[in-house]
Amino acid sequence: MYKYYGVVYLLDGTIHLWPGDNQKDCLDELIKIRDSEWGPRIKATTVIKRNMDNFKDDLIFGNPKSLNVMEGK
């Protein structure tokens, strides 16, 4: 199964993702973000498509084996 994400790179070096049903949904969201108070903080945007069959538990940046602060609460 494929998923789409709108990606926003901010000037402070952070990266933010917004999931969408398709490329158009992501582009529409990126336009809203561009026109919001976030606009001046944006360095660049793009849309990515990922085959989620390649990612365990939908964790596209890897499955944490250590340093997961959500464990041990």
Side-chain angles (χ1 to χ4, degrees):
M1 173 181 63
Y2 285 91
K3 284 190 179 180
Y4 292 83
Y5 294 91
V7 182
V8 177
Y9 297 94
L10 293 184
L11 294 170
D12 67 4
T14 60
I15 302 168
H16 301 264
L17 301 175
W18 282 268
D21 293 330
N22 53 52
Q23 185 177 19
K24 183 181 180 330
D25 285 346
C26 291
L27 286 171
D28 290 344
E29 185 64 27
L30 292 174
I31 290 168
K32 287 180 197 174
I33 294 165
R34 177 200 66 195
D35 295 340
S36 75
E37 67 276 359
W38 284 57
R41 298 172 53 201
I42 296 174
K43 180 179 180 179
T45 66
T46 192
V47 175
I48 60 173
K49 177 182 172 182
R50 294 293 179 258
N51 181 348
M52 299 311 289
D53 294 336
N54 295 329
F55 302 100
K56 183 178 179 185
D57 300 324
D58 292 340
L59 303 175
I60 65 172
F61 294 113
N63 192 8
K65 294 181 176 73
S66 65
L67 305 177
N68 184 359
V69 300
M70 298 310 291
E71 294 178 353
K73 286 175 93 179

